[in-house]
Amino acid sequence: MPINSKIPQGELSKKWTTYKSTCKLVNPANKRQLEVIVIGTGLAGASAAASLGELGYKVKTFCFQDSPRRAHSIAAQGGINAAKNYQNDGDSTYRLFYDTVKGGDYRAREANVYRLAEVSANIIDQCVAQGVPFAREYGGLLSNRSFGGTQVQRTFYAAGQTGQQLLIGAYQALERQVALGNVKQYSRHEMLDVVIIDGKCRGVIVRNLVTGELERHFGHAVLLCSGGYGNVFYLSTNAMGSNVTAAWKAHKKGAFFGNPCYTQIHPTCIPVSGDHQSKLTLMSESLRNDGRIWVPKKQNDTRKATDIPEEERDYYLERRYPAFGNLVPRDVASRAAKERCDAGYGVGSSKQAVFLDFASAIERYGKVEANKQQMSNPSREQIIAMGKEVVKEKYGNLFDMYAKITGENPYEVPMRIYPAVHYTMGGLWVDYELQTSVPGLYALGEANFSDHGANRLGASALMQGLADGYFVIPYTLGNNLADDIRTKAIPTDHPAFEEAEKAVRERIEKLMSIKGTESVESFHKRLGKIMWDKCGMARNAQGLKEAAEEIKALRKEFWNNVRIPGDINEFNPELDKANRVADFMELGELMCIDALHRSESCGGHFREEHQTEDGEALRHDEEFLYVAAWEYKGESNFELHKESLDYEVVHPTQRSYK
Amino acid sequence: MEHYNMNLTLKVWRQKNNKAQGKFETFQVKDISSEMSFLEMFDVLNEQLVADNKEPIAFDHDCREGICGMCSMHINGRAHGPWHQTTTCQLHMREYKDGDTIVVEPWRADAFPVIKDLVVDRTAFDRIIESGGYISVNTGNAQDANCLPIEKQQADLSFAAAACIGCGACVAACPNASAMLFVSAKASHLALLPQGRPEAKIRATNMIAQMDKEGFGSCTNIGACEAECPKGISLDNIARMNREYIAATFSGSNE
């Protein structure tokens, strides 16, 4: 099947405007006859479902949590980017577009990214109108802060809880549509397959997680807003339930998977404390605005941080990247931390950590405060006390979280941080209309591959989720459904529904019948270890080949020896988890295949064989300037399709943050 | 920070489903590290149960960083356990010492029926939001976000109310199982913003009506909700909503 990204003709800055003015529309009476299924209720899913409900479509939403408001978008801390230029510091749609393309190491589609930058400003307007309480200045206007990979202040935030506030805004808009009868909401339901009829996606099979019953639901279109697959690594910043199942089922039914190997390792997370670790907690990138990252200049230095004098500290990001310093993009910061730890400069008991230090920020803010209060000769203690107050106001909730987890006081001693899996840039391949290679099946937000190339900049995930849901899908879905107005709702006793449900039931019965000796959790941990060691922050051909084989063997073992207690027809979290882990074990192999084939380094994908003399990612544009879209052909059998990336406006160069 | 291992006795509420009779079951767990979170300790227990071919304990959890509101354990008689402004997932085992006994129950409230073991049904909260916990604005051409300056103090108060994670600890902590802190936090978050003013009265009226319909109890100003709230939602929100409600009664907007 040839790949068609359906990018509109014309000048980059006019494409979306032209599309919006010329796309097909569906009249209100017809919208009422058209049914849309939305899987996942995070920023992308909730905003899409609310907006489509408002337009008059008959919408159903599904989420595995007990309420749509729990979706993992809620945990995003730092902020959301928008090209508002409220700070008058030279921002514009073009600059946001450019920073995003460059940040993605020139592996994103120009037209999509430009559209994202274009609608970014509307998102802030919409959210403020909904009552999202963004941080404000004393003058009553919105406040901004900086984020990694940019030199302007374009990030809007609500303390360290930006994702929560944006999600609650979208959730409330969704609940309003539920009350009006436009959206029907199914919580504690998990999608286990898509149903294809005559080449089009026409519905889903879902499992009621409380009763274990399988249900069939018809839709003229299905929107997958099911998030990313970082939990393939077992340890990640994702929620425990975040999974790839919906996307993977779609992939196995014909949707191409785009750039599966592009995973983002976030530089500032709380380090692993032991084998019991179940997840990793992020410390917002916004902390790098004020925190300075360092390690001792001496290897295996066991002194306490506060006992190491200034001249014996290596502020390695400031040293290596003077222009961006501590605000280099995430991939660069993560690799630099790994490099120092591998070279023996790591700190803490595991030696797999670096310091994030607020001492100089506390002192700087303290002096500013002393000035404001016109104190003529403030003591050092007074300065530090006032500085701590300022830092508390900015990052208090993050500092509290750090203290609860580690038992250390970050106002007194530097935080210890280490990179952790955070976000997946790869995902289902979609065209400009967010439609996958299966007609009628769409993917929005982190579930698709589209806007971040090989590395996502901070504060861009929230932007993309909401752009897709509020401002893109309402147009592009209509353009396609306009051709479907004569399609009557297909009864769910159609053979395609029967067959899909039967396959789902058989798989569940098979899982339950194994009755082996090893827990699901244990298999998940073993998969995660293979992925992290061989397909993690640094990869090489040898390791990737080994990993693919090890995963295959692990999968075989899983299907022969997994133990799932309990019954099928009841609330059974072990069974839910087994379904998810089984899919992660198939995805893991594809990630290794993709990482092996991409014989270059770019963004979050770092191949040890391809680096510059000073250890930076070395791209090979002549060979790899394309999106790798994989088609499922059977177990361990994937066919590569290439969507070439034609840069018309930006010219890919070696990224430099020096 | 120094860490240590401990052995514990756990008394956990077991209930097959919402029709079955529940009871406490006692478990021993060994070598629990003080660095574990409370839920990681439950992971260890569940792995042990799977290994013994027994059914693991069902409990709700997801983000494990204190923000999704999914975790919901009543620990030694306190919603989310002993730490101030902390969810169960953020409670760490260094709170406990070798030999301790810990009693764990689900949220107890008629409006939150038990689904299984420690898992309860909190969809009543969704229905309360449906009844009015929003600003009626469609997606589209909202005016520029900076057109309407909002006094910082007011915006901060609104944010403080909006920090609610909808976990239900307020209900579990309240002897009356009242949901007033949850409802008033939402009413305040929106009523404190100019965008939310036009619907403020009708919102308070409808949400309170829905709360009563769901079977939550009445507020008698005990204050346990505020004390146990993991996000520090203030009782002031209840007073604020009551003023809104009374004003609505006198002006007839809750007819």
Side-chain angles (χ1 to χ4, degrees):
Chain A
M1 184 172 14
I3 226 164
N4 180 2
S5 52
K6 295 201 208 149
I7 296 169
Q9 295 299 308
E11 205 183 303
L12 183 65
S13 62
K14 306 252 164 62
K15 286 181 196 287
W16 181 234
T17 314
T18 312
Y19 181 93
K20 283 194 293 181
S21 345
T22 53
C23 65
K24 284 177 262 181
L25 301 174
V26 180
N27 89 20
N30 285 330
K31 283 198 190 104
R32 287 195 285 273
Q33 310 302 322
L34 292 169
E35 300 181 33
V36 181
I37 285 171
V38 179
I39 305 297
T41 55
L43 286 183
S47 61
S51 304
L52 296 172
E54 288 160 11
L55 287 171
Y57 292 105
K58 280 166 78 174
V59 181
K60 286 179 180 173
T61 64
F62 297 87
C63 66
F64 68 79
Q65 298 92 341
D66 76 331
S67 162
R69 66 179 292 155
R70 314 270 187 229
H72 197 55
S73 306
I74 203 149
Q77 299 170 354
I80 175 165
N81 286 330
K84 279 286 198 186
N85 196 29
Y86 282 160
Q87 305 304 323
N88 194 31
D89 53 2
D91 201 7
S92 63
T93 299
Y94 183 84
R95 275 206 200 265
L96 174 52
F97 153 76
Y98 177 83
D99 286 347
T100 307
V101 168
K102 178 187 171 192
D105 215 357
Y106 306 98
R107 289 293 176 268
R109 203 189 270 157
E110 269 190 336
N112 283 53
V113 179
Y114 197 88
R115 176 177 66 190
L116 176 67
E118 241 179 311
V119 303
S120 66
N122 303 68
I123 296 173
I124 303 303
D125 301 340
Q126 181 65 32
C127 293
V128 167
Q130 286 173 343
V132 170
F134 284 120
R136 288 178 183 270
E137 306 288 354
Y138 282 99
L141 300 180
L142 294 166
S143 175
N144 290 114
R145 60 183 170 203
S146 320
F147 247 65
T150 69
Q151 290 173 312
V152 295
Q153 293 196 314
R154 62 161 74 99
T155 304
F156 294 79
Y157 63 99
Q161 289 134 271
T162 317
Q164 180 198 20
Q165 294 309 321
L166 294 175
L167 182 62
I168 295 302
Y171 159 73
Q172 288 170 189
L174 171 65
E175 294 306 302
R176 176 171 162 248
Q177 293 308 308
V178 173
L180 292 169
N182 298 325
V183 177
K184 199 159 166 17
Q185 163 183 311
Y186 298 81
S187 298
R188 296 199 198 264
H189 277 67
E190 183 150 36
M191 189 201 104
L192 292 180
D193 211 353
V194 291
V195 177
I196 315 279
I197 298 174
D198 298 331
K200 270 195 173 176
C201 185
R202 293 299 193 189
V204 292
I205 305 296
V206 297
R207 183 162 175 269
N208 177 330
L209 299 182
V210 176
T211 63
E213 275 166 276
L214 295 180
E215 300 172 7
R216 306 169 186 185
H217 294 272
F218 163 81
H220 287 86
V222 174
L223 276 47
L224 298 186
C225 310
S226 47
Y229 49 87
N231 271 347
V232 68
F233 291 91
Y234 184 73
L235 284 182
S236 81
T237 65
N238 288 4
M240 302 303 286
S242 300
N243 68 80
V244 76
T245 290
W248 193 252
K249 298 300 183 192
H251 175 57
K252 287 176 86 169
K253 285 277 175 86
F256 295 174
F257 212 104
N259 299 328
C261 79
Y262 289 167
T263 42
Q264 175 162 82
I265 316 287
H266 195 290
T268 53
C269 300
I270 302 178
V272 176
S273 68
D275 290 337
H276 56 262
Q277 194 93 27
S278 61
K279 81 153 268 159
L280 294 167
T281 302
L282 180 80
M283 288 283 104
S284 167
E285 176 165 322
S286 62
L287 293 172
R288 286 198 278 146
N289 273 320
D290 284 313
R292 298 177 70 196
I293 293 177
W294 64 277
V295 290
K297 280 186 179 162
K298 209 170 72 184
Q299 282 170 324
N300 300 315
D301 196 332
T302 51
R303 286 177 293 177
K304 280 199 277 182
T306 41
D307 293 342
I308 301 175
E310 196 59 30
E311 60 278 7
E312 291 177 41
R313 300 175 174 192
D314 176 14
Y315 295 92
Y316 58 87
L317 287 176
E318 297 169 30
R319 168 171 60 79
R320 286 178 67 177
Y321 309 100
F324 281 70
N326 292 297
L327 284 176
V328 291
R330 292 174 175 178
D331 54 339
V332 177
S334 292
R335 272 199 295 282
K338 177 174 161 44
E339 187 276 330
R340 283 291 82 185
C341 293
D342 289 351
Y345 297 93
V347 300
S349 52
S350 66
K351 300 283 165 204
Q352 292 289 302
V354 300
F355 288 128
L356 176 61
D357 196 336
F358 289 85
S360 47
I362 287 172
E363 192 174 333
R364 176 162 48 87
Y365 285 125
K367 283 180 182 161
V368 172
E369 281 303 298
N371 251 332
K372 273 195 205 161
Q373 298 178 20
Q374 305 189 334
M375 294 167 73
S376 53
N377 231 339
S379 69
R380 198 178 148 71
E381 286 70 39
Q382 284 173 312
I383 289 176
I384 300 295
M386 286 186 290
K388 279 181 186 166
E389 279 308 307
V390 178
V391 167
K392 190 173 177 185
E393 154 106 48
K394 291 179 102 142
Y395 310 112
N397 66 324
L398 299 171
F399 276 50
D400 290 349
M401 186 148 77
Y402 183 86
K404 277 176 196 164
I405 293 172
T406 63
E408 291 173 357
N409 178 356
Y411 294 99
E412 302 296 339
V413 295
M415 290 182 179
R416 285 172 297 110
I417 53 156
Y418 198 68
V421 174
H422 180 52
Y423 185 90
T424 50
M425 283 73 69
L428 291 176
W429 180 89
V430 290
D431 61 21
Y432 188 74
E433 296 184 310
L434 305 180
Q435 190 164 214
T436 68
S437 47
V438 175
L441 180 64
Y442 298 75
L444 282 66
E446 191 180 351
N448 74 30
F449 88 104
S450 79
D451 295 359
H452 307 295
N455 173 55
R456 180 175 65 75
L457 289 181
S460 287
L462 302 181
M463 172 172 69
Q464 189 218 339
L466 291 180
D468 287 359
Y470 283 135
F471 295 107
V472 178
I473 200 71
Y475 290 95
T476 62
L477 185 68
N479 189 46
N480 288 296
L481 286 183
D483 298 331
D484 239 350
I485 51 173
R486 286 188 185 79
T487 310
K488 294 268 179 296
I490 300 172
T492 53
D493 56 5
H494 186 282
F497 276 99
E498 299 267 359
E499 206 178 300
E501 188 188 306
K502 186 165 165 267
V504 170
R505 173 167 294 118
E506 283 171 359
R507 177 164 122 146
I508 291 173
E509 283 165 358
K510 191 171 169 200
L511 279 169
M512 294 301 292
S513 70
I514 299 168
K515 300 190 188 304
T517 58
E518 194 172 330
S519 70
V520 179
E521 199 69 7
S522 164
F523 278 107
H524 195 183
K525 278 188 182 173
R526 287 168 68 193
L527 172 68
K529 184 161 171 27
I530 300 172
M531 293 301 293
W532 178 248
D533 288 347
K534 296 181 173 169
C535 194
M537 242 193 296
R539 303 152 174 190
N540 61 55
Q542 170 78 20
L544 289 166
K545 281 180 200 157
E546 287 167 9
E549 290 309 312
E550 287 169 30
I551 292 169
K552 262 191 252 181
L554 185 68
R555 206 159 60 210
K556 206 170 155 201
E557 214 185 310
F558 174 87
W559 282 101
N560 281 308
N561 194 32
V562 73
R563 170 182 290 177
I564 307 165
D567 296 319
I568 294 177
N569 287 316
E570 65 167 344
F571 187 81
N572 188 345
E574 287 293 310
L575 174 57
D576 308 344
K577 205 159 57 179
N579 260 317
R580 296 168 191 162
V581 172
D583 294 328
F584 277 134
M585 280 197 280
E586 296 180 19
L587 164 80
E589 186 186 358
L590 177 61
M591 289 171 70
C592 294
I593 292 172
D594 184 44
L596 179 64
H597 118 280
R598 191 166 282 277
S599 196
E600 64 162 352
S601 294
C602 57
H605 169 63
F606 190 73
R607 282 285 296 270
E608 287 165 348
E609 305 94 319
H610 305 278
Q611 48 184 310
T612 63
E613 273 175 15
D614 41 4
E616 305 295 341
L618 184 62
R619 296 198 322 264
H620 299 305
D621 288 345
E622 48 314 320
E623 272 179 275
F624 290 104
L625 200 55
Y626 63 78
V627 175
W630 297 90
E631 181 180 1
Y632 184 80
K633 290 283 192 186
E635 195 183 332
S636 297
N637 184 5
F638 304 90
E639 186 183 334
L640 174 64
H641 301 270
K642 298 177 182 178
E643 179 202 341
S644 89
L645 292 167
D646 303 315
Y647 280 92
E648 291 172 13
V649 176
V650 177
H651 297 289
T653 51
Q654 160 85 34
R655 269 191 320 169
S656 171
Y657 291 95
K658 297 183 172 171
Chain B
M1 179 126 201
E2 285 301 306
H3 45 89
Y4 54 94
N5 284 358
M6 64 194 100
N7 298 334
L8 301 165
T9 303
L10 296 170
K11 294 188 173 173
V12 184
W13 185 259
R14 299 304 302 261
Q15 187 172 337
K16 184 87 180 150
N17 55 48
N18 75 1
K19 293 188 186 69
Q21 180 100 32
K23 63 173 187 343
F24 281 103
E25 219 174 295
T26 306
F27 305 93
Q28 308 293 331
V29 283
K30 291 194 167 51
D31 296 325
I32 296 298
S33 159
S34 60
E35 290 190 296
M36 286 181 192
S37 70
F38 197 81
L39 296 184
E40 284 168 347
M41 183 267 290
F42 260 76
D43 292 342
V44 171
L45 170 59
N46 274 348
E47 281 298 280
Q48 190 181 306
L49 290 171
V50 175
D52 296 345
N53 238 336
K54 290 184 185 138
E55 216 178 320
I57 298 160
F59 63 93
D60 263 333
H61 63 114
D62 201 22
C63 78
R64 295 205 177 186
E65 47 188 287
I67 194 76
C68 76
M70 192 108 173
C71 62
S72 51
M73 293 181 186
H74 214 232
I75 303 164
N76 284 346
R78 294 189 61 182
H80 291 303
W83 285 7
H84 185 53
Q85 294 188 12
T86 303
T87 55
T88 299
C89 64
Q90 296 291 79
L91 172 64
H92 277 66
M93 294 310 294
R94 61 177 179 280
E95 166 67 20
Y96 300 96
K97 54 185 195 306
D98 193 35
D100 278 355
T101 297
I102 309 174
V103 180
V104 186
E105 295 170 79
W107 283 173
R108 304 280 192 195
D110 283 349
F112 289 162
V114 170
I115 291 175
K116 186 175 184 176
D117 298 341
L118 303 173
V119 175
V120 299
D121 181 346
R122 286 170 286 190
T123 48
F125 274 9
D126 287 333
R127 290 187 292 274
I128 291 175
I129 299 298
E130 272 169 48
S131 71
Y134 45 75
I135 290 172
S136 297
V137 54
N138 282 1
T139 306
N141 296 296
Q143 66 172 352
D144 185 88
N146 259 352
C147 273
L148 205 56
I150 301 174
E151 199 187 330
K152 181 168 164 45
Q153 203 194 351
Q154 194 83 350
D156 287 350
L157 277 177
S158 168
F159 172 77
C164 168
I165 56 174
C167 64
C170 46
V171 176
C174 177
N176 308 334
S178 169
M180 276 296 265
L181 195 66
F182 168 78
V183 176
S184 68
K186 186 47 62 197
S188 289
H189 156 213
L190 299 172
L192 282 162
L193 298 170
Q195 291 87 350
R197 281 311 307 164
E199 295 169 281
K201 291 194 179 91
I202 187 83
R203 178 183 303 121
T205 307
N206 289 346
M207 288 176 75
I208 289 172
Q210 186 66 33
M211 176 182 80
D212 292 343
K213 202 171 135 193
E214 296 288 349
F216 291 103
S218 301
C219 175
T220 50
N221 289 317
I222 295 165
C225 52
E226 182 189 58
E228 298 292 42
C229 174
K231 295 295 148 180
I233 305 292
S234 160
L235 280 178
D236 294 351
N237 292 301
I238 296 182
R240 193 178 291 113
M241 183 172 72
N242 282 339
R243 285 198 295 275
E244 208 77 69
Y245 187 79
I246 291 164
T249 309
F250 286 128
S251 66
S253 2
N254 61 351
E255 297 285 297

